[in-house]
Amino acid sequence: MAKILCESGGSSLRLTHICNRNVERKKQPWVPSDVIWTDDAQMVLNSDADIVIELIGGLHPAEQIVRGALQAGKSVVTANKQLIARHGPDLLQLAARHGRQLEFGASVAGGVPVLPALRTGLCGDRLHGIAGILNGTCNYILSRIESARIPFSEALEEAQSRGYAEADASEDLDGGDARAKLAILALAGLHTQVAPESVRARTIRAIDAVDFDYAAELGCTIRQISRADLKGNTLFADVGPCLVPADSPFGRVQRNLNLVLTSGQYGGDMAFLGAGAGGDPTAVAVVSDLMFVAEGFSAGRKRDAASNVSTAGISSDFETAWYLRFFVRDQPGIVARLAEILAAHRLNIDALLQKPGFDKASLPFVITLEPCRDTQLQPALEQMAGLDFSVRPCLCLPILR
Ligand SMILES: NC(=O)c1ccc[n+]([C@@H]2O[C@H](COP(=O)([O-])OP(=O)(O)OC[C@H]3O[C@@H](n4cnc5c(N)ncnc54)[C@H](OP(=O)(O)O)[C@@H]3O)[C@@H](O)[C@H]2O)c1
């Protein structure tokens, strides 16, 4: 980011300070000699700089620095998804009270300019739905299992060795990262305040190579999808692996790319695709925010994002078709027992799929269900969990058509 800024000759932007810990070890020869290097954030807040860029990440001390900067009358650009997901509405109001800007375009989908689009290009529409592939690590792992039919553990190791996944990838795999991003998209696009923890997150850890075989039989593949639909006063929101048609925009997203689809009352559907992470694409998003804020100073222009945010009830009770995958110890009567439980809960079977050639001690097969609500399905799943022929918990995935 600093490099792009230093290399863009003729720009009205001037880098004045770089604040980091242990700055002596981090100094770079390409930084102009008049830039002040410091490990004291207060020195930046006390300076006459107009804009502070926060790229520390996490909540502490980033939150204090961002609040301090806004209170000191400076605008802020940040890429910090945890900070915006948890304190975005509050910080936007603080910025508005001080007549300053808070921009966070790089906090979701890295270099893909979806947040600026939501906050400017699409703000004339009334959006009611946002869905996305928001986590590049999950998409890399799932698309590798899809293309190479390797086990989940092997795809994770490969992602880690290539730098696409951290040593502890729990935040990515279990949906914590994506639901923080979904909360930010809901704030910017649906004007709805959502605590990330209130969004249900399902893990991708249970996905097996065989699930891609069965998904393919259904014309589908599997992706981690984050979705939010605003209906009246309720925000239906969920993050987790879903079956999506193989030839759909989601189904075609490979490796660590991100895709966000928006649905608006007037403008219809829009798609945003690109590099969701990586130093250079993310730096471009940060510099673009910076230029937007700087131009706004001279034009007296700013985005109004603080005034029309409301709260909504959060629900994960989507009505969809379902994919249920079982691993069982083969014995007579298994299908009849499962069908009996489903019928007792008034759930309709759409298809039953079983591929030949598997070990009878751990036999995978799939039942798909016609659309029903999540709350209607859960009691049946709980009853199935106690069946003695199950050798693994049932994997239950929404089928998005
Ligand atoms: N990289 C991406 O692809 C990407 C994509 C989208 C959004 N983001 C967001 O961008 C932000 C920066 O990410 P990054 O990948 O550049 O992270 P990073 O490589 O870890 O850089 C963070 C920098 O902040 C410094 N720092 C950490 N705690 C500090 C403290 N208490 N005081 C002073 N300096 C401190 C770190 O110093 P040390 O080196 O000493 O730890 C490091 O130089 C994060 O909010 C991240 O979520 C990144």
Side-chain angles (χ1 to χ4, degrees), residues 54 97 99-100 114 127 148 185 218 228 230 238 255-256 289 322 327 342-343 356 359 371 387 396:
E54 182 280 304
R97 276 205 301 281
R100 290 295 172 261
V114 60
L127 298 188
L185 291 174
L218 297 163
L230 189 59
D238 172 68
R255 302 180 72 84
N256 60 337
D289 273 355
W322 297 93
F327 270 93
L342 292 169
D359 177 2
L387 297 172
C396 171

Side-chain angles (χ1 to χ4, degrees), residues 111-176:
V112 186
V114 60
L115 279 168
L118 291 177
R119 299 182 72 202
T120 312
L122 287 171
C123 68
D125 201 348
R126 184 176 296 179
L127 298 188
H128 53 77
I130 298 177
I133 290 177
L134 303 179
N135 185 276
T137 303
C138 286
N139 208 63
Y140 180 87
I141 290 170
L142 292 174
S143 59
R144 280 297 291 147
I145 302 175
E146 176 186 28
S147 60
R149 293 296 198 267
I150 51 179
F152 171 84
S153 55
E154 198 178 322
L156 173 60
E157 270 171 35
E158 186 186 301
Q160 285 166 328
S161 70
R162 294 187 174 203
Y164 295 136
E166 293 177 22
D168 178 2
S170 305
E171 268 290 290
D172 297 312
L173 305 178
D174 302 336

Side-chain angles (χ1 to χ4, degrees), residues 10-319:
S11 162
S12 61
L13 293 164
R14 191 167 63 83
L15 182 62
T16 62
H17 297 74
I18 295 177
C19 176
N20 205 313
R21 55 191 174 197
N22 308 315
V23 277
E24 282 311 318
R25 281 200 277 115
K26 294 172 182 170
K27 285 187 174 171
Q28 296 295 328
W30 44 264
V31 172
S33 56
D34 59 345
V35 171
I36 299 167
W37 289 77
T38 177
D39 56 9
D40 178 8
Q42 198 56 47
M43 185 180 184
V44 180
L45 302 189
N46 291 342
S47 75
D48 62 358
D50 298 307
I51 306 170
V52 170
I53 304 160
E54 182 280 304
L55 296 172
I56 292 175
L59 289 180
H60 177 77
E63 182 185 355
Q64 289 84 341
I65 292 172
V66 168
R67 283 188 193 281
L70 294 170
Q71 281 157 349
K74 301 176 191 311
S75 289
V76 171
V77 171
T78 177
N80 190 327
K81 69 174 174 285
Q82 297 299 354
L83 182 65
I84 299 301
R86 277 172 184 72
H87 302 295
D90 187 29
L91 292 171
L92 284 166
Q93 277 171 15
L94 182 62
R97 276 205 301 281
H98 289 270
R100 290 295 172 261
Q101 290 283 97
L102 171 64
E103 295 297 325
F104 45 89
S107 62
V108 176
V112 186
V114 60
L115 279 168
L118 291 177
R119 299 182 72 202
T120 312
L122 287 171
C123 68
D125 201 348
R126 184 176 296 179
L127 298 188
H128 53 77
I130 298 177
I133 290 177
L134 303 179
N135 185 276
T137 303
C138 286
N139 208 63
Y140 180 87
I141 290 170
L142 292 174
S143 59
R144 280 297 291 147
I145 302 175
E146 176 186 28
S147 60
R149 293 296 198 267
I150 51 179
F152 171 84
S153 55
E154 198 178 322
L156 173 60
E157 270 171 35
E158 186 186 301
Q160 285 166 328
S161 70
R162 294 187 174 203
Y164 295 136
E166 293 177 22
D168 178 2
S170 305
E171 268 290 290
D172 297 312
L173 305 178
D174 302 336
D177 172 84
R179 72 178 173 186
K181 292 170 177 168
L182 188 66
I184 298 173
L185 291 174
L187 173 67
L190 305 177
H191 309 292
T192 303
Q193 185 172 348
V194 184
E197 303 72 33
S198 65
V199 175
R200 182 180 62 179
R202 296 173 290 109
T203 185
I204 67 160
R205 293 178 199 263
I207 304 296
D208 193 288
V210 77
D211 293 309
F212 284 92
D213 293 334
Y214 282 116
E217 290 225 340
L218 297 163
C220 291
T221 184
I222 301 168
R223 295 288 182 263
Q224 187 209 46
I225 304 292
S226 306
R227 50 194 173 137
D229 285 331
L230 189 59
K231 288 186 179 149
N233 254 350
T234 304
L235 187 79
F236 290 86
D238 172 68
V239 170
C242 296
L243 264 71
V244 295
D247 60 356
S248 67
F250 284 139
R252 288 196 294 262
V253 178
Q254 296 294 325
R255 302 180 72 84
N256 60 337
L257 291 182
N258 280 192
L259 171 68
V260 179
L261 303 181
T262 63
S263 305
Q265 184 178 340
Y266 303 103
D269 297 343
M270 301 283 164
F272 303 86
L273 172 73
D280 284 351
T282 307
V284 168
V286 172
V287 174
S288 301
D289 273 355
L290 190 57
M291 292 170 76
F292 179 85
V293 174
E295 284 164 19
F297 275 135
S298 44
R301 162 174 58 75
K302 57 175 98 130
R303 292 192 242 259
D304 174 25
S307 57
N308 58 351
V309 173
S310 56
T311 51
I314 308 295
S315 170
S316 57
D317 198 15
F318 285 93
E319 182 168 349

